[in-house]
Amino acid sequence: MSRMNPAYMDHNATTPVRPEVAEVINRFLGPAFGNPNSIHRFGREARSAVEEAREHAANLISALSPEEMIFTSGGTESDNWALRGAISAAGGGGHIVTSAIEHSAILDTCEVLEKSGVEITYINPNRKGLVSAVEVAAAIRPDTRIVSIMWANNEVGTVQPIEEIGALCRDKGVLFHTDAVQGVGKLSIDVNLACVDLLSASGHKINASKGVGFLYIRNGINIDPIITGGGQERDLRSGTENVPSIAGFGEACRIAKKEQPSESEKIASLRDKMENEICERIPDVVINGDSDNRVPGTSNLGFLGAEGETLLIRLDLEGFAVSTGSACSSGSTEPSHVLLSMGLPKDAIQGSLRFSLGWGSTEDDVSRLLEILPKAVERVRSIAPRARAASGS
């Protein structure tokens, strides 16, 4: 591995915990260890931290009330709950509209629900990864229970027309859920302006710890719980609250609300510099996704004639952490379902890498990448099967 400091460029997979957040977490791992459901002073201190975090989370997405924020174990649980809870509350069966580029927490849950009789319509995106609001509206049926379209895609970063989709769903009287795991903290989000009924978010995507998230449930929306027991979280999500992680998540939400506009601008500028230089220095590179409409730190590039996984390994040996797609599908070597559904050429899919920048990314990281990446791509292309066949080896 490179002797230089490693450069982390995989923020869409997870983010480093900020020192301010870690300080809050450690406080509730140590002296403030009380159960928030106890009425003595230790419990009251923990309860106060949970409710303060709820306020910061609500403020981040412009929710009308902190009571609309229910803490979960992360984005996967929140996604599962939104779909399963909506179907259950409607009496089972029915129909769901979603997209082909959703996170596996949505797609796999839909697959399971299909086995119980729920019908699913999957909307394919265009070549830039954009889902048509018109197609979503056209897919809605009288028995549609819920529409679920992600706010921003985790692999290519394309931001979806959430406000338009939300308004169409509201007009048709259909629940609208959005997996906003990749949007919260990176984009300005107003759930009321976007007519969102349910929204999923995850702490470890915004510099908090893993294992915590929330589901926003707009007041008046009825979904059934999927975890029952002690009646915590307004009897919607039972289980003793993960106070250290929730308190840390709240602090991360507070920081994100304050810093998002300036931080997003800085990260987008750094990404654009990196991407432009890569395309100038390396031939046969394509940008996967919508270069004009994406989250600030995401750059998904197809290096034609190269194997993405081989290139990833070479970069890792040089101290760079990047990705070939979602890090949430453990051990998966299958081609990206996102890029496949976008209809991209096989060469662009096989040679794709995702560079995702965030808090802590530096110009020095980008400069070092620009020194190493052209040589790495050249080397990987030279050993690719097509190149070997052309040389007669």
mmCIF file of all heavy atoms in Angstrom, residues 43-59:
data_model
loop_
_atom_site.group_PDB
_atom_site.id
_atom_site.type_symbol
_atom_site.label_atom_id
_atom_site.label_comp_id
_atom_site.label_asym_id
_atom_site.label_seq_id
_atom_site.Cartn_x
_atom_site.Cartn_y
_atom_site.Cartn_z
ATOM 1 N N GLY A 43 -32.430 8.646 33.509
ATOM 2 C CA GLY A 43 -33.362 8.455 32.411
ATOM 3 C C GLY A 43 -33.791 9.774 31.793
ATOM 4 O O GLY A 43 -33.915 9.881 30.574
ATOM 5 N N ARG A 44 -34.026 10.785 32.651
ATOM 6 C CA ARG A 44 -34.456 12.083 32.124
ATOM 7 C C ARG A 44 -33.373 12.717 31.254
ATOM 8 O O ARG A 44 -33.668 13.356 30.234
ATOM 9 C CB ARG A 44 -34.835 13.016 33.267
ATOM 10 C CG ARG A 44 -36.067 12.585 34.047
ATOM 11 C CD ARG A 44 -36.630 13.712 34.880
ATOM 12 N NE ARG A 44 -35.662 14.258 35.825
ATOM 13 C CZ ARG A 44 -35.451 13.799 37.056
ATOM 14 N NH1 ARG A 44 -36.153 12.744 37.495
ATOM 15 N NH2 ARG A 44 -34.576 14.371 37.862
ATOM 16 N N GLU A 45 -32.117 12.547 31.645
ATOM 17 C CA GLU A 45 -31.019 13.096 30.845
ATOM 18 C C GLU A 45 -30.963 12.425 29.477
ATOM 19 O O GLU A 45 -30.778 13.090 28.445
ATOM 20 C CB GLU A 45 -29.691 12.915 31.579
ATOM 21 C CG GLU A 45 -28.502 13.542 30.851
ATOM 22 C CD GLU A 45 -27.198 13.393 31.620
ATOM 23 O OE1 GLU A 45 -27.130 12.528 32.531
ATOM 24 O OE2 GLU A 45 -26.249 14.129 31.304
ATOM 25 N N ALA A 46 -31.133 11.104 29.459
ATOM 26 C CA ALA A 46 -31.126 10.379 28.185
ATOM 27 C C ALA A 46 -32.327 10.771 27.329
ATOM 28 O O ALA A 46 -32.202 10.973 26.116
ATOM 29 C CB ALA A 46 -31.130 8.877 28.442
ATOM 30 N N ARG A 47 -33.498 10.895 27.972
ATOM 31 C CA ARG A 47 -34.694 11.289 27.226
ATOM 32 C C ARG A 47 -34.526 12.667 26.616
ATOM 33 O O ARG A 47 -34.915 12.915 25.465
ATOM 34 C CB ARG A 47 -35.918 11.266 28.159
ATOM 35 C CG ARG A 47 -37.209 11.830 27.572
ATOM 36 C CD ARG A 47 -37.588 11.181 26.268
ATOM 37 N NE ARG A 47 -37.698 9.728 26.380
ATOM 38 C CZ ARG A 47 -37.790 8.911 25.358
ATOM 39 N NH1 ARG A 47 -37.761 9.387 24.115
ATOM 40 N NH2 ARG A 47 -37.889 7.610 25.527
ATOM 41 N N SER A 48 -33.933 13.572 27.354
ATOM 42 C CA SER A 48 -33.702 14.925 26.846
ATOM 43 C C SER A 48 -32.818 14.903 25.603
ATOM 44 O O SER A 48 -33.065 15.635 24.634
ATOM 45 C CB SER A 48 -33.054 15.789 27.930
ATOM 46 O OG SER A 48 -32.763 17.074 27.442
ATOM 47 N N ALA A 49 -31.801 14.035 25.600
ATOM 48 C CA ALA A 49 -30.901 13.932 24.445
ATOM 49 C C ALA A 49 -31.636 13.395 23.221
ATOM 50 O O ALA A 49 -31.433 13.873 22.094
ATOM 51 C CB ALA A 49 -29.719 13.036 24.787
ATOM 52 N N VAL A 50 -32.493 12.392 23.431
ATOM 53 C CA VAL A 50 -33.259 11.821 22.317
ATOM 54 C C VAL A 50 -34.190 12.869 21.717
ATOM 55 O O VAL A 50 -34.284 13.006 20.489
ATOM 56 C CB VAL A 50 -34.059 10.588 22.789
ATOM 57 C CG1 VAL A 50 -35.048 10.136 21.712
ATOM 58 C CG2 VAL A 50 -33.114 9.439 23.144
ATOM 59 N N GLU A 51 -34.873 13.619 22.570
ATOM 60 C CA GLU A 51 -35.820 14.612 22.062
ATOM 61 C C GLU A 51 -35.116 15.781 21.392
ATOM 62 O O GLU A 51 -35.625 16.348 20.414
ATOM 63 C CB GLU A 51 -36.738 15.083 23.189
ATOM 64 C CG GLU A 51 -37.598 13.987 23.791
ATOM 65 C CD GLU A 51 -38.304 13.136 22.733
ATOM 66 O OE1 GLU A 51 -38.839 13.705 21.758
ATOM 67 O OE2 GLU A 51 -38.309 11.897 22.878
ATOM 68 N N GLU A 52 -33.952 16.141 21.878
ATOM 69 C CA GLU A 52 -33.181 17.195 21.225
ATOM 70 C C GLU A 52 -32.727 16.736 19.837
ATOM 71 O O GLU A 52 -32.771 17.504 18.859
ATOM 72 C CB GLU A 52 -31.959 17.575 22.069
ATOM 73 C CG GLU A 52 -31.136 18.706 21.470
ATOM 74 C CD GLU A 52 -29.957 19.101 22.339
ATOM 75 O OE1 GLU A 52 -29.810 18.553 23.457
ATOM 76 O OE2 GLU A 52 -29.160 19.965 21.898
ATOM 77 N N ALA A 53 -32.312 15.482 19.759
ATOM 78 C CA ALA A 53 -31.921 14.925 18.460
ATOM 79 C C ALA A 53 -33.102 14.907 17.505
ATOM 80 O O ALA A 53 -32.958 15.173 16.298
ATOM 81 C CB ALA A 53 -31.370 13.513 18.635
ATOM 82 N N ARG A 54 -34.273 14.602 18.016
ATOM 83 C CA ARG A 54 -35.480 14.565 17.187
ATOM 84 C C ARG A 54 -35.764 15.960 16.586
ATOM 85 O O ARG A 54 -36.162 16.087 15.431
ATOM 86 C CB ARG A 54 -36.675 14.099 18.034
ATOM 87 C CG ARG A 54 -37.780 13.442 17.229
ATOM 88 C CD ARG A 54 -38.969 13.057 18.090
ATOM 89 N NE ARG A 54 -38.659 12.247 19.236
ATOM 90 C CZ ARG A 54 -38.488 10.930 19.204
ATOM 91 N NH1 ARG A 54 -38.577 10.292 18.054
ATOM 92 N NH2 ARG A 54 -38.223 10.259 20.309
ATOM 93 N N GLU A 55 -35.545 16.983 17.396
ATOM 94 C CA GLU A 55 -35.748 18.351 16.914
ATOM 95 C C GLU A 55 -34.753 18.706 15.808
ATOM 96 O O GLU A 55 -35.123 19.328 14.794
ATOM 97 C CB GLU A 55 -35.618 19.334 18.071
ATOM 98 C CG GLU A 55 -36.752 19.243 19.087
ATOM 99 C CD GLU A 55 -36.562 20.219 20.238
ATOM 100 O OE1 GLU A 55 -35.597 21.017 20.193
ATOM 101 O OE2 GLU A 55 -37.371 20.173 21.178
ATOM 102 N N HIS A 56 -33.489 18.312 15.991
ATOM 103 C CA HIS A 56 -32.475 18.603 14.967
ATOM 104 C C HIS A 56 -32.775 17.844 13.673
ATOM 105 O O HIS A 56 -32.589 18.384 12.565
ATOM 106 C CB HIS A 56 -31.085 18.234 15.475
ATOM 107 C CG HIS A 56 -30.570 19.142 16.542
ATOM 108 N ND1 HIS A 56 -30.648 20.513 16.454
ATOM 109 C CD2 HIS A 56 -29.947 18.872 17.734
ATOM 110 C CE1 HIS A 56 -30.103 21.068 17.527
ATOM 111 N NE2 HIS A 56 -29.683 20.093 18.315
ATOM 112 N N ALA A 57 -33.229 16.604 13.796
ATOM 113 C CA ALA A 57 -33.561 15.802 12.615
ATOM 114 C C ALA A 57 -34.738 16.423 11.863
ATOM 115 O O ALA A 57 -34.731 16.524 10.629
ATOM 116 C CB ALA A 57 -33.886 14.368 13.015
ATOM 117 N N ALA A 58 -35.750 16.864 12.605
ATOM 118 C CA ALA A 58 -36.913 17.497 11.975
ATOM 119 C C ALA A 58 -36.516 18.786 11.267
ATOM 120 O O ALA A 58 -36.978 19.072 10.154
ATOM 121 C CB ALA A 58 -37.982 17.774 13.029
ATOM 122 N N ASN A 59 -35.653 19.550 11.909
ATOM 123 C CA ASN A 59 -35.208 20.817 11.336
ATOM 124 C C ASN A 59 -34.440 20.605 10.032
ATOM 125 O O ASN A 59 -34.546 21.395 9.088
ATOM 126 C CB ASN A 59 -34.335 21.559 12.347
ATOM 127 C CG ASN A 59 -34.068 22.998 11.941
ATOM 128 O OD1 ASN A 59 -34.930 23.672 11.385
ATOM 129 N ND2 ASN A 59 -32.873 23.480 12.235
#
